[in-house]
Amino acid sequence: MSERQDFRSIRTDRPTRDDALLTVADVLAEPVLQAGAPEVIVGGRSLDAAVRWVHVSDSAGVARLLDGGELLLSTGAGWPAAAAELRAFALGLHQAGVAGIVVELGSGQARIPDAVVEVCAEHGLALIALTSEVKFVAVTETVHRALIAAQTMALRERQHLHELFTALSLRGAPADVVVAETARALGAPVVLENLAREVIAHETLRMPVAEALGKLRSADRVPVQARGVRWGTLLALPGPAHPAGRLTVLEQGATALAFGCLADGGDSEWSLLAQRGLIDDLLGARFASPDDIEARLATSGFLLAGRHCHGIVARGTEPAVHLAYRAAQAGVAVVAARVGDDDVALLSLPASVPLSDALVASLVGPDRTVFVGPPADDVLGLLASLRAARDLAASDRSDGGPRVRRVDDRPLERFVASLRDDHRLLAHSERMLAPLVTHDRERRGDLLEVLAALVAHPGNRSAAAAASHLSRSVFYQRLTLIGDLLDVDLDDGETLAALHLALLAKRSAAPVVSPSCRAVSATVRAPTARA
């Protein structure tokens, strides 16, 4: 989604104060000023004012000579005496934009006049009294040297940033990589939103995702735009100052993202990235708290509370974008990604709409087999639902036509999935199947597959042979070998049940997610999905 904009109508939202090369507090900390035993008369946030230069003057008319950002050093010798004139003098300095006033007490002023203190306090203008004599020339030399050093450092950092983000753009780095590099450069959480305010990518460093998303109101923000088209916003939470300026870093990141959109012909890849990240993190359990995943889902219009939510796996070649479109028409929120040869999806339905077989078929389209996990109303339940659907899909060896299979209809598989991390179940599986595993590994055999076909069709060995794609005679030979290796009677019901449990446990313990998944559909937020 993109939006054409008139550049004249777009303004970068600035933070509360620009990043300063040097502040009044920095100058005050210099040894040359500390030697004057400084006393802060008006401080607080006024000490964060940026110092652009140092100016020395005792003149009452100095305000007209200033351009703003100067730190004024004075003995006060030429200041007016009347309170009204002193107020006007101090107000003039404030209006000229001075960063602060440093007054050396002594021959010029024994104490800072109350009128000056009142104006500075009223307008938040830093006011410092030096109780011991200092050389103003030494102060100006020190500060100017520090300013030049800071400017040099800023130029170097800007060059480094330019090289970094130019390299990312030339390599075609995806949005999540650009966001991560921006966050690392800033040392603060960074979030990329599209125009619908959906979170596309984020790097929160060590801050919980839910907490970071809840603080975006206070974030600095820069539009991601180019050639009059805007695709989204790059946001950074408050963090440490950067030598090149925080906004400079953020703008470099936004520029790299805009170049990516231009190269890709738009921001279509963004939604795919958001989908992929959610599915990948959920399946891999890569989240510190369920609240983090729930907050990310919520930004895409996918709600859990008060809704029917399911994890599903759909097989077939139909593009999942059709699933997204049909879901939007039915008022169903969906997040989907391609994992291996299957489409893995999360569905969120209104409480008044049960997920019937007919609705599932209408959502995924014809000629597809769908595996549906149990209903869930929180993140951990949704994770269990998705894993159970994937386990059921992995165990399906039939060649039947399109159909809907539900985990709730396979109680044993659901029970094993719930105990996937129980070491006793895993030990049972290893103990019972070890001879078959060794045989298949050493001889590239298929005994485990034959056993799986047998337990899937315990009362029909002809169907089991067909499911294993073997002739009946060869199938029976395999069964004899299995019985000999395991030293069991395959006609015994309890033995078959134990072997079935062992097979399910072995399959459940296998990895269920690849290192990364390829997203196949955009986030869909139906108008009713937020209800």
Side-chain angles (χ1 to χ4, degrees):
M1 181 188 299
S2 62
E3 180 180 273
R4 290 203 169 271
Q5 298 278 334
D6 180 351
F7 280 124
R8 293 171 300 177
S9 65
I10 291 185
R11 178 180 61 85
T12 298
D13 293 325
R14 296 287 174 178
T16 54
R17 73 171 184 89
D18 291 332
D19 294 280
L21 294 176
L22 210 60
T23 66
V24 174
D26 295 331
V27 176
L28 193 59
E30 290 287 346
V32 67
L33 265 178
Q34 286 296 309
E39 179 183 349
V40 177
I41 307 301
V42 177
R45 297 188 62 181
S46 65
L47 297 179
D48 293 333
V51 176
R52 186 181 60 84
W53 207 244
V54 173
H55 190 84
V56 180
S57 176
D58 288 335
S59 171
V62 66
R64 72 179 188 278
L65 304 176
L66 303 177
D67 293 327
E70 296 91 352
L71 182 65
L72 178 64
L73 304 183
S74 178
T75 64
W79 288 8
E85 292 177 346
L86 282 170
R87 290 185 61 85
F89 166 72
L91 184 59
L93 293 177
H94 166 67
Q95 292 172 343
V98 298
I101 305 171
V102 178
V103 182
E104 182 185 86
L105 302 181
S107 59
Q109 296 282 349
R111 56 185 293 274
I112 298 179
D114 293 339
V116 175
V117 175
E118 291 170 1
V119 171
C120 290
E122 180 181 352
H123 295 282
L125 180 59
L127 180 61
I128 297 97
L130 298 179
T131 57
S132 297
E133 185 180 60
V134 300
K135 291 183 178 181
F136 280 0
V137 66
V139 175
T140 57
E141 181 182 5
T142 298
V143 173
H144 293 169
R145 185 186 298 117
L147 283 170
I148 292 172
Q151 289 168 351
T152 302
M153 176 63 74
L155 289 174
R156 290 174 180 168
E157 287 296 323
R158 288 191 180 101
Q159 179 63 26
H160 170 71
L161 291 171
H162 174 73
E163 293 172 353
L164 169 65
F165 288 105
T166 297
L168 292 175
S169 299
L170 293 177
R171 290 200 304 265
D176 57 338
V177 173
V178 176
V179 169
E181 290 297 331
T182 305
R184 279 191 279 271
L186 283 172
V190 173
V191 176
L192 172 63
E193 292 182 341
N194 63 12
L195 292 179
R197 299 193 67 184
E198 298 170 344
V199 173
I200 302 302
H202 61 83
E203 175 53 67
T204 60
L205 302 180
R206 295 186 178 183
M207 182 180 293
V209 176
E211 180 182 349
L213 296 182
K215 293 181 176 180
L216 291 184
R217 289 181 179 272
S218 62
D220 298 342
R221 56 192 68 223
V222 171
V224 179
Q225 61 185 17
R227 296 181 181 176
V229 181
R230 180 174 180 175
W231 296 281
T233 306
L234 190 62
L235 306 97
L237 293 185
H242 191 278
R246 283 174 50 83
L247 279 181
T248 299
V249 180
L250 205 55
E251 287 164 356
Q252 289 277 358
T255 299
L257 290 168
F259 284 159
C261 288
L262 288 175
D264 295 335
D267 62 345
S268 58
E269 293 295 322
W270 283 10
S271 292
L272 307 184
L273 180 68
Q275 299 281 320
R276 180 185 64 201
L278 276 167
I279 294 291
D280 211 11
D281 290 352
L282 186 63
L283 279 176
R286 290 197 293 270
F287 51 89
S289 165
D291 292 341
D292 293 346
I293 293 292
E294 187 169 359
R296 291 169 59 189
L297 287 170
T299 66
S300 299
F302 191 105
L303 303 181
L304 289 162
R307 296 176 67 84
H308 294 307
C309 299
H310 297 264
I312 70 169
V313 175
R315 287 182 177 164
T317 57
E318 179 176 319
V321 67
H322 296 168
L323 166 62
Y325 175 76
R326 295 187 185 105
Q329 298 300 308
V332 177
V334 61
V335 173
R338 190 78 172 176
V339 181
D341 297 327
D342 299 329
D343 291 335
V344 173
L346 311 174
L347 302 179
S348 176
L349 299 83
S352 59
V353 182
L355 188 62
S356 64
D357 288 358
L359 178 57
V360 172
S362 69
L363 291 177
V364 302
D367 303 323
R368 306 194 80 181
T369 298
V370 186
F371 305 90
V372 181
D377 58 5
D378 59 22
V379 169
L380 296 181
L382 190 60
L383 172 58
S385 177
L386 192 54
R387 282 180 170 175
R390 295 203 68 208
D391 289 341
L392 182 58
S395 68
D396 184 69
R397 299 177 180 274
S398 62
D399 296 324
R403 67 198 185 284
V404 176
R405 296 195 62 196
R406 294 178 178 271
V407 172
D408 285 342
D409 297 333
R410 309 289 294 181
L412 183 58
E413 292 184 24
R414 183 175 183 181
F415 171 72
V416 171
S418 68
L419 298 176
R420 67 168 67 241
D421 297 323
D422 192 308
H423 68 90
R424 293 168 297 181
L425 185 62
L426 299 178
H428 164 76
S429 175
E430 293 176 359
R431 183 173 59 253
M432 288 211 73
L433 301 179
L436 304 187
V437 171
T438 301
H439 176 277
D440 285 354
R441 182 177 62 248
E442 295 177 349
R443 296 174 175 79
R444 297 183 180 181
D446 59 356
L447 297 187
L448 284 175
E449 294 181 5
V450 170
L451 181 60
L454 176 66
V455 299
H457 305 276
N460 190 338
R461 294 197 172 181
S462 296
S468 61
H469 305 288
L470 298 173
S471 67
R472 291 182 62 182
S473 60
V474 174
F475 182 75
Y476 289 147
Q477 292 174 10
R478 298 284 202 280
L479 292 185
T480 300
L481 179 57
I482 290 173
D484 292 342
L485 289 173
L486 298 181
D487 191 23
V488 298
D489 179 6
L490 296 181
D491 290 320
D492 179 68
E494 183 174 342
T495 298
L496 281 182
L499 289 171
H500 193 181
L501 188 65
L503 284 170
L504 291 175
K506 178 176 176 57
R507 187 180 301 118
S508 178
V512 296
V513 63
S514 57
S516 64
C517 7
R518 292 180 289 113
V520 294
S521 70
T523 303
V524 173
R525 297 182 305 132
T528 57
R530 291 188 181 273

